[in-house]
């Protein structure tokens, strides 16, 4: 036994425990979660009229007197099982706003709907994929003596992709501050789209809400240059939301024109800084606006494809995108040892330095150094776009038999007592997660064979 690795010895110890079967049931119930939360407590359900105990649960009967629950981390690099569940919820959340379902009427599929991509502006030339990266007939060098062009044919896996041609010319301060204000820039964009729509329809801007409602779901994605750009599903409804038809003037063409105009108009001013000055922040020149068609009809992307794309992206960790880290940094030394590129490390250092300036204190840049100053959620949506994560989780709980009992009173007391796995438990949980994923793949293959008649 002493010659075995620590994880193997610990796994054998766990397997020999008299309550191992129950512990394994808990691990399976969490889907093999890589970093489960440990809770201690009890839940008692009483009949509201008679006071009779209908159901009772206490962790004192569990292995270690604790219950394991999912960590619910969306990042696949942190917890693959929970990220798959989050991806599934995201897919249904976005899809419901496109095709209906989950309390959203199916009529939304016939509304004016766009898939919009908004990018960050240029902060300096970077290496890119192409036949030749940045060809220049006249050659030339920058003020720092570095070439202004690049004739290399970079492959998609080339580590130079997204890196500045000249780090000294690159506007790292503008990059970080743009990230810090990206959410505000999006808010102003949405407000301006409403105003453009009202003006084009001959309405007083303040009366737009009485005639129509703009609904959206957006996801933030880091590009190779470590700058965030935004993908958004934008839908035009009537004033009461999904259940209400938009006005006759609310067409996809008019919505497209409003989006294009607003993307070029809106700006955000940074707080004045003696060290930086005042910056005017805008969206980048690259803008993509595509109409959405149910089941992929027409030139635009299909609804299921859009929902799947968004669901896939929200599970990506920072290490997968090459932008920042999945965990917060608390000291300058953490930045120096982070497993990131020189470009990203400079962005992190810039965020940390700017975070030390009093005028930028409200931006909490040091708190968000690991995301390069970006402090918005990966996925956000307007209230009326579709269902919520909470509703999807409640529906799943009801499906597995954990529904609320009508007219019942529940008394509960829970407290956090730990998280994570021991080395042996992590080994077993990883095996459970692998088995469950393999079973899902087999089920998908069988479903496909049945659908095509094989």
């Amino acid at each position: 036994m002493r010659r075995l690795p620590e994880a193997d010895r610990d796994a054998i110890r766990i397997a020999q425990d008299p309550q191992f079967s129950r512990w394994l049931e808990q691990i399976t119930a969490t889907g093999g979660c890589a970093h489960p939360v440990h809770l201690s407590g009890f839940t008692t359900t009483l009949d509201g009229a008679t006071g009779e105990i209908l159901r009772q649960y206490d962790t004192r009967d569990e292995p270690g007197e604790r219950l394991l629950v999912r960590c619910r981390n969306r990042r696949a690099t942190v917890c693959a099982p929970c990220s798959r569940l989050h991806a599934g919820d995201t897919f249904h959340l976005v899809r419901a706003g496109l095709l209906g379902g989950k309390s959203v009427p199916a009529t939304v599929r016939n509304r004016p709907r766009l898939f919009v991509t908004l990018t960050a502006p240029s902060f300096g030339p970077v290496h890119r994929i192409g036949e030749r990266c940045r060809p220049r007939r006249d050659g030339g060098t920058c003020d720092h003596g570095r070439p202004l062009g690049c004739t290399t044919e970079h492959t998609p896996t080339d580590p130079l992709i997204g890196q500045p041609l000249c780090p000294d010319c690159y506007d790292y301060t503008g990059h970080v501050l743009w990230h810090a204000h990206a959410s505000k820039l999006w808010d102003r964009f949405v407000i301006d789209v409403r105003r453009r729509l009202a003006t084009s329809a001959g309405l007083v801007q303040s009366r737009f809400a009485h005639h129509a409602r703009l609904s959206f779901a957006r996801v933030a994605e880091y590009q190779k240059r470590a700058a965030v750009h935004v993908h958004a599903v934008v839908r035009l409804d009537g004033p009461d939301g999904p259940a209400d038809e938009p006005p006759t003037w609310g067409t996809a063409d008019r919505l497209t024109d409003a989006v294009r105009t607003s993307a070029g108009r809106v700006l955000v001013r940074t707080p004045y800084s003696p060290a930086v000055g005042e910056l005017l922040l805008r969206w980048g020149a690259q803008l993509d606006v595509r109409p959405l068609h149910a089941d992929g009809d027409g030139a635009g992307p299909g609804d299921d494809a859009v929902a799947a794309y968004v669901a896939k992206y929200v599970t990506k960790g920072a290490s997968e995108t090459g932008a920042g880290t999945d965990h917060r940094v608390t000291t300058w030394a953490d930045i120096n040892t982070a497993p990131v590129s020189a470009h990203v490390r400079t962005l992190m250092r810039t965020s940390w330095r700017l975070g030390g300036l009093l005028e930028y204190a409200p931006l909490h840049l040091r708190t968000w150094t690991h995301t390069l100053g970006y402090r918005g959620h990966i996925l956000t949506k307007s209230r009326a776009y579709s269902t919520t994560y909470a509703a999807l989780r409640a529906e799943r709980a009801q499906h597995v038999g954990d529904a609320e009992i009508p007219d019942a009173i529940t008394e509960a007391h829970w407290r956090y007592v730990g998280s994570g796995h021991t080395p042996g438990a992590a080994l077993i949980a990883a095996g459970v997660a692998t088995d469950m994923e393999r079973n899902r793949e087999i089920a998908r293959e069988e479903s496909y064979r049945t659908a095509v008649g094989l």
Side-chain angles (χ1 to χ4, degrees):
M1 285 285 289
R2 293 180 180 178
R3 296 181 179 179
L4 293 175
E6 180 186 2
D8 291 344
R9 294 200 306 270
D10 189 41
I12 293 173
R13 177 190 62 79
I14 294 172
Q16 292 175 339
D17 190 292
Q19 290 185 298
F20 172 72
S21 60
R22 173 54 188 160
W23 178 85
L24 192 60
E25 288 178 2
Q26 285 199 32
I27 293 295
T28 303
T30 66
C33 175
H35 198 78
V37 175
H38 302 192
L39 300 178
S40 176
F42 66 88
T43 298
T44 302
T45 303
L46 307 173
D47 188 298
T50 65
E52 177 187 0
I53 295 177
L54 303 177
R55 188 168 60 191
Q56 191 170 26
Y57 173 82
D58 198 311
T59 56
R60 286 181 294 184
D61 300 325
E62 297 286 4
E65 297 188 359
R66 58 186 60 191
L67 175 68
L68 305 185
V69 298
R70 287 179 178 270
C71 68
R72 292 184 178 178
N73 196 296
R74 68 169 181 84
R75 297 177 176 86
T77 53
V78 177
C79 181
C82 287
S83 73
R84 281 192 290 269
L85 193 67
H86 189 85
D89 287 347
T90 301
F91 174 81
H92 290 292
L93 184 151
V94 175
R95 188 179 188 276
L98 290 170
L99 296 174
K102 311 295 182 183
S103 76
V104 180
T107 52
V108 295
R109 70 174 62 199
N110 300 316
R111 307 279 170 80
R113 301 168 307 150
L114 306 176
F115 186 50
V116 180
T117 299
L118 298 163
T119 61
S122 174
F123 304 106
V126 298
H127 292 280
R128 58 191 180 187
I129 300 174
E131 294 182 1
R132 287 193 296 170
C133 176
R134 288 186 175 274
R136 288 179 64 93
R137 291 182 180 179
D138 56 351
T141 60
C142 68
D143 293 341
H144 306 97
R146 296 186 176 91
L148 293 173
C150 175
T151 58
T152 304
E153 295 183 11
H154 297 294
T155 63
T157 57
D158 192 329
L160 278 177
I161 298 298
Q163 306 299 300
L165 269 66
C166 177
D168 294 318
C169 291
Y170 195 85
D171 185 8
Y172 284 100
T173 296
H175 189 145
V176 168
L177 290 177
W178 191 91
H179 271 180
H181 292 84
S183 295
K184 181 180 289 187
L185 192 60
W186 168 262
D187 291 341
R188 293 193 178 178
F189 166 75
V190 172
I191 292 171
D192 199 71
V193 170
R194 296 191 185 106
R195 289 174 176 173
R196 295 309 102 208
L197 285 170
T199 300
S200 67
L203 302 174
V204 177
Q205 294 179 358
S206 61
R207 302 288 295 176
F208 174 80
H210 296 275
H211 297 268
R213 178 191 288 262
L214 194 68
S215 299
F216 66 85
R218 73 174 178 94
V219 62
E221 178 182 5
Y222 284 90
Q223 298 170 296
K224 286 290 187 179
R225 60 184 173 127
V228 164
H229 65 177
V230 173
H231 299 295
V233 176
V234 180
R235 189 186 72 224
L236 190 63
D237 299 321
D240 293 330
D244 197 6
E245 291 296 325
T248 55
W249 53 259
T251 64
D253 288 341
R254 180 163 278 170
L255 180 58
T256 298
D257 290 342
V259 166
R260 290 189 179 279
T261 302
S262 297
R265 280 173 46 90
V266 296
L267 61 85
V268 171
R269 299 177 184 271
T270 65
Y272 175 78
S273 167
V276 178
E278 181 187 62
L279 303 184
L280 300 182
L281 306 178
R282 302 176 182 273
W283 293 110
Q286 292 181 320
L287 170 67
D288 188 42
V289 183
R290 304 184 188 185
L292 290 174
H293 303 275
D295 302 321
D297 295 336
D303 295 323
D304 283 346
V306 170
Y309 173 81
V310 173
K312 181 180 180 180
Y313 184 76
V314 296
T315 65
K316 288 186 178 181
S319 59
E320 291 181 286
T321 60
T325 65
D326 291 329
H327 304 284
R328 291 183 177 179
V329 297
T330 56
T331 65
W332 182 265
D334 291 340
I335 300 175
N336 294 333
T337 57
V340 296
S341 67
H343 175 54
V344 171
R345 196 183 314 279
T346 304
L347 285 167
M348 295 174 72
R349 287 171 176 166
T350 303
S351 182
W352 189 269
R353 290 194 187 101
L354 293 174
L357 300 179
L358 182 62
E359 54 269 27
Y360 294 139
L363 301 178
H364 304 289
L365 288 172
R366 290 191 172 180
T367 301
W368 298 105
T369 292
H370 65 299
T371 58
L372 316 182
Y374 180 73
R375 56 200 184 105
H377 293 289
I378 290 296
L379 177 74
T380 56
K381 73 176 190 68
S382 59
R383 182 177 299 177
Y385 175 76
S386 70
T387 186
T388 64
Y389 282 120
L392 290 171
R393 289 165 183 161
E395 184 179 340
R396 183 165 55 250
Q398 184 176 10
H399 177 72
V400 299
D402 193 23
E404 295 292 331
I405 300 175
D407 302 322
I409 299 174
T410 300
E411 297 178 357
H413 175 75
W414 295 96
R415 63 188 180 92
Y416 170 83
V417 293
S419 62
H421 286 303
T422 62
L427 196 64
I428 296 173
V432 169
T434 300
D435 289 343
M436 295 182 73
E437 178 60 20
R438 186 178 296 114
N439 290 338
R440 280 190 289 268
E441 291 177 359
I442 293 173
R444 284 194 292 267
E445 291 176 1
E446 289 298 323
S447 177
Y448 173 76
R449 288 176 177 273
T450 302
V452 299
L454 295 178

